[in-house]
Amino acid sequence: MKKRIFAVGILLGTALFLLAGRLFYIQIIGHRDLSQAAGIQQQISLEGANSRGLIYDRNGTPLVGNNQEYIFIIREEQFDGETMNALNELKAREIQNRGSGYRVFSSERYDKSIGQRLIRNSSAYILEAGRRYSKQQTAAHLLGYVNPQDQSGASGLELMCDEELSLLNKKISASADVRGNLLQGRGLVVSSAREDDSYVKKGIVTTLDAGLQGKIEEILKKSPKDGAVVVLKSGTGEIVASASTPGFDPSNINEYMESGSDELVNKVTQGEYPPGSIFKIVVAAAALEKGIEPESVWQCEGYEIVNGKRVNCKTGGEDGHGTITFQEAFAQSCNSAFIQITQKVGAEAVLDMAQRMGLGEEALSGYPDEKSGNLMTARQSAGAAIANLAIGQGETLMTPLQAARMTNIIASDGVDPGVHLVLEEGEMVAAAAPVSVLDKETTEKLKKMMAQTIISGSGKTLSAETSMAAKTGSAESSMGGEDVVHGWITGFAPAEKPEYTITVFIEDGESGSGSAGPIFAQTAQYLSDSKSFEQPFSF
């Protein structure tokens, strides 16, 4: 008997010793690891919530992430038709939350009585969270959008700066107890695999001006035809506004993936179009460098015959302009004179100038999916095709951003500062040093020729309370299998000392001065009204 009692005592003592050791491990040695493991089991992943750094305009105004939404989390076993009806009343959309045992919805709206119904009938957990985009998201095409599955950048600035905007191994979740009941008051938790990476980075600062961006979008939306507008800060090449229509809602991207339309196309950077008469800026620059003066005289009979091919001067009527100076031919957009000028200068000189002015290459370094347009080759410009080169037709293609960069060289006294979109600690992030393209004398002559276009040429119907200089263009093209004429205007204001470069493109606009011109003038007027110019000028 004593031996049995002794044996039992040994077993109990051993068991108590092992239990004490286990408690010591749980409470002291393994506490941290076990707590973390338990915590992971109690996290309900919320895919779709905003976990990225913000994108700001040049003045520190958030362009994304400053929108509020409401998150509704409901256990699947408590989800029924009445719950769905209540969520439909709030126009809530389901966001992905795979394999958690919960249904997760988000809505821009919240109604107290509906919220109480959801809590009472379905034990819903409701919290406020930041929503990345609004339905009327400003600068949507330029900013781009994120992949709904993992919140990584999928296009535009979101993709270009994805590393700066993303969390490392990011995860957003709501906290629950061991039974799966959500912990009220805990809100959303942001975490990552490494403790020192568990924060949302501040984000990036762009060159955009939120006020100007909003106004440009408002002006462009009033146009009966789709198009694009881009505004650069002269001298620096900073993009202060960029708009494209039709627009889209980046928080509901799947709808546009299946639409078959071009809502997701950023016409500013991805639209490649024949430039028409705005290409005469390139021809004029090449001619001035070859010593052809603005006062030189040319003849326009209403058409030009080149290697047996007749090309009409559409602005000269049946009888043509008659005797016309180079400067007048530029202002009136005389095809005949410009074909003669191109023949005298030579196709190679014109193509060389086009390359120097940034045509045929991407304008914005590192920006995703930007198109480079197309320049005719010397061979393609031979014979009768030199007429197409002279008037911006044929194989020549240009994006609105390329057109703005080309124009900004003239506004910047012959220097190409490039095109820029991101600021770093208040300073512009430049891909390369500015390049001198034209001498000052040539630039001043071009400025006067562009100013004359507004004073007495194809842009004479345009007006604003500031001086303007520009070149209009009407470009023959095809769209949807039909022949169309696109409208262009590109220029700057004020005319004498440019501060902003403005380019407008209107799809199937028929006339540059008629469709794109008014948008150009309204933009210049807004810049004047908003006191965006450093000082007033009068022409």
Side-chain angles (χ1 to χ4, degrees), residues 21-80:
R22 180 60 179 167
L23 289 172
F24 178 80
Y25 174 80
I26 291 173
Q27 294 182 358
I28 307 298
I29 299 175
H31 174 74
R32 183 175 180 180
D33 292 338
L34 293 172
S35 295
Q36 288 178 347
I40 291 172
Q41 293 173 355
Q42 296 168 31
Q43 300 300 310
I44 299 156
S45 178
L46 302 180
E47 298 180 26
N50 177 32
S51 62
R52 293 169 65 80
L54 299 187
I55 301 176
Y56 300 88
D57 85 337
R58 62 189 306 112
N59 301 308
T61 301
L63 297 172
V64 298
N66 60 336
N67 308 290
Q68 203 67 18
E69 73 176 345
Y70 298 90
I71 302 292
F72 302 85
I73 308 173
I74 303 159
R75 298 183 76 166
E76 287 186 348
E77 61 193 45
Q78 294 177 293
F79 196 95
D80 56 21

Side-chain angles (χ1 to χ4, degrees), residues 31 65 115 142 165 167 171 201 220 270 300 341 428:
H31 174 74
L142 198 62
L165 295 170
L167 280 170
K171 180 180 179 183
K201 296 181 180 180
L220 183 59
Q270 296 175 305
C300 172
I341 291 168
M428 186 174 63

Side-chain angles (χ1 to χ4, degrees), residues 406-419:
M406 171 190 75
T407 309
N408 197 48
I409 292 170
I410 302 164
S412 304
D413 294 326
V415 174
D416 178 15
V419 178

Side-chain angles (χ1 to χ4, degrees), residues 1 38 69 140 158 170 176 239 264 272 293 338 373 376 388 423 427 525:
M1 179 68 71
E69 73 176 345
E158 294 278 21
K170 59 183 178 292
I239 301 174
L264 298 180
E272 297 175 295
E293 294 297 328
F338 266 80
M376 297 173 72
N388 281 335
L423 297 172
E427 298 295 328
Q525 183 63 53

Side-chain angles (χ1 to χ4, degrees), residues 29-275:
I29 299 175
H31 174 74
R32 183 175 180 180
D33 292 338
L34 293 172
S35 295
Q36 288 178 347
I40 291 172
Q41 293 173 355
Q42 296 168 31
Q43 300 300 310
I44 299 156
S45 178
L46 302 180
E47 298 180 26
N50 177 32
S51 62
R52 293 169 65 80
L54 299 187
I55 301 176
Y56 300 88
D57 85 337
R58 62 189 306 112
N59 301 308
T61 301
L63 297 172
V64 298
N66 60 336
N67 308 290
Q68 203 67 18
E69 73 176 345
Y70 298 90
I71 302 292
F72 302 85
I73 308 173
I74 303 159
R75 298 183 76 166
E76 287 186 348
E77 61 193 45
Q78 294 177 293
F79 196 95
D80 56 21
E82 186 177 343
T83 304
M84 193 70 248
N85 290 336
L87 291 167
N88 285 336
E89 288 182 53
L90 295 171
K91 296 183 178 179
R93 64 181 180 88
E94 188 163 12
I95 59 178
Q96 294 184 7
N97 184 50
R98 294 173 227 154
S100 67
Y102 288 83
R103 301 279 295 273
V104 183
F105 291 78
S106 71
S107 173
E108 297 175 31
R109 298 176 51 209
Y110 180 74
D111 180 272
K112 186 176 180 181
S113 61
I114 297 175
Q116 288 174 339
R117 276 167 49 198
L118 285 167
I119 294 170
R120 181 174 60 252
N121 299 331
S122 308
S123 299
Y125 182 82
I126 304 171
L127 53 86
E128 291 183 78
R131 180 167 43 86
R132 190 156 188 83
Y133 307 116
S134 67
K135 285 189 175 180
Q136 302 299 322
Q137 177 62 48
T138 188
H141 285 96
L142 198 62
L143 299 180
Y145 55 89
V146 297
N147 188 319
Q149 277 68 47
D150 63 6
Q151 295 297 290
S152 62
S155 74
L157 259 179
E158 294 278 21
L159 176 57
M160 178 179 173
C161 300
D162 187 52
E163 184 176 348
E164 294 92 328
L165 295 170
S166 294
L167 280 170
L168 300 179
N169 301 313
K170 59 183 178 292
K171 180 180 179 183
I172 289 191
S173 55
S175 296
D177 62 22
V178 291
R179 296 181 179 178
N181 299 312
L182 290 160
L183 301 175
Q184 299 289 335
R186 289 290 297 275
L188 293 178
V189 176
V190 181
S191 61
S192 74
R194 287 170 48 195
E195 187 175 334
D196 55 346
D197 291 328
S198 300
Y199 63 93
V200 178
K201 296 181 180 180
K202 179 180 179 182
I204 60 171
V205 179
T206 70
T207 59
L208 295 174
D209 182 297
L212 178 60
Q213 177 69 35
K215 185 62 179 180
I216 294 304
E217 291 180 5
E218 177 187 323
I219 293 171
L220 183 59
K221 284 176 184 176
K222 292 179 181 177
S223 170
K225 301 289 181 67
D226 291 330
V229 181
V230 58
V231 184
L232 306 181
K233 201 163 177 56
S234 302
T236 67
E238 297 169 61
I239 301 174
V240 288
S242 175
S244 175
T245 53
F248 70 98
D249 175 7
S251 62
N252 192 19
I253 205 66
N254 290 334
E255 173 186 337
Y256 307 98
M257 294 289 190
E258 302 167 359
S259 74
S261 298
D262 64 349
E263 296 98 336
L264 298 180
V265 175
N266 181 359
K267 291 183 172 66
V268 171
T269 61
Q270 296 175 305
E272 297 175 295
Y273 311 98

